[in-house]
Amino acid sequence: MTLAAASHGFLSPTGVEIAFVLVGIAALGAALMTVTSRQLVHAALWLVVALGGIAVEYLLLTAEFLAWVQVLIYVGSVVVLLLFGLMLTKAPIGPSPDADSGNRWAALTVAGASAAALVWVVVDAFRTTWIDLDGAAQGSAEASGHSLFRYWVLPFEALSVLLLAALVGAIVLSRRGGAAEGAAEGAADGAVPAAGEGRR
């Protein structure tokens, strides 16, 4: 048992590591489908799959609290808000030819550069970080709550304000579009009797 644990290395992955890689590939594929889909509703549903895959990754890392936060906040709130905004603004459900701007290579270049910069920043920031195995679990509610309400209060509140602004903007756009359609229908209804009276 000890020899097997000691001989474990990169070429002999465990079942959890294999599942982690497979789920990561599935989440990456869903993310690519999100940004390449020509239908907004399909893109939102692929986003659900991508965010759900990240939640499974948290579970495989034994960070159950972060996994449930991922599901409740991102899958349960952000995606629902996105779909709610699509319904309020009466966005087309079918394929949208104008959803592709034709600048895929420029977008791919920017995305690759951003990903490389993000990986470099994360690796450089956590190069000398060590996990205290004798302390509280890193993904527990205690450790996450301590870090969230001590270091990340302002971004957390800014995110809630951003979600509120998106919801208010969707409602304003839907009411403006409904008022314009109502005025157009009223003008059309008023013009029809007048034409009929003119024929008499």
Side-chain angles (χ1 to χ4, degrees), residues 59-133:
L59 283 178
L60 294 175
L61 293 173
T62 65
E64 294 84 0
F65 177 73
L66 294 180
W68 286 116
V69 169
Q70 173 80 12
V71 172
L72 292 176
I73 294 182
Y74 287 97
V75 179
S77 298
V78 175
V79 177
V80 170
L81 179 62
L82 177 60
L83 294 175
F84 190 59
L86 291 177
M87 290 186 293
L88 282 177
T89 55
K90 297 180 180 180
I93 298 179
S96 302
D98 56 346
D100 189 1
S101 63
N103 297 324
R104 291 192 175 187
W105 288 109
L108 183 61
T109 303
V110 172
S114 301
L118 180 61
V119 170
W120 180 82
V121 168
V122 171
V123 171
D124 184 67
F126 296 97
R127 186 188 306 274
T128 58
T129 301
W130 295 88
I131 298 177
D132 184 12
L133 298 179

Side-chain angles (χ1 to χ4, degrees), residues 100-171:
D100 189 1
S101 63
N103 297 324
R104 291 192 175 187
W105 288 109
L108 183 61
T109 303
V110 172
S114 301
L118 180 61
V119 170
W120 180 82
V121 168
V122 171
V123 171
D124 184 67
F126 296 97
R127 186 188 306 274
T128 58
T129 301
W130 295 88
I131 298 177
D132 184 12
L133 298 179
D134 297 328
Q138 295 299 311
S140 64
E142 178 184 357
S144 301
H146 177 76
S147 177
L148 175 64
F149 292 106
R150 185 173 181 179
Y151 304 107
W152 300 98
V153 174
L154 183 59
F156 187 77
E157 293 299 327
L159 177 61
S160 63
V161 174
L162 177 63
L163 295 177
L164 178 61
L167 180 60
V168 172
I171 294 175

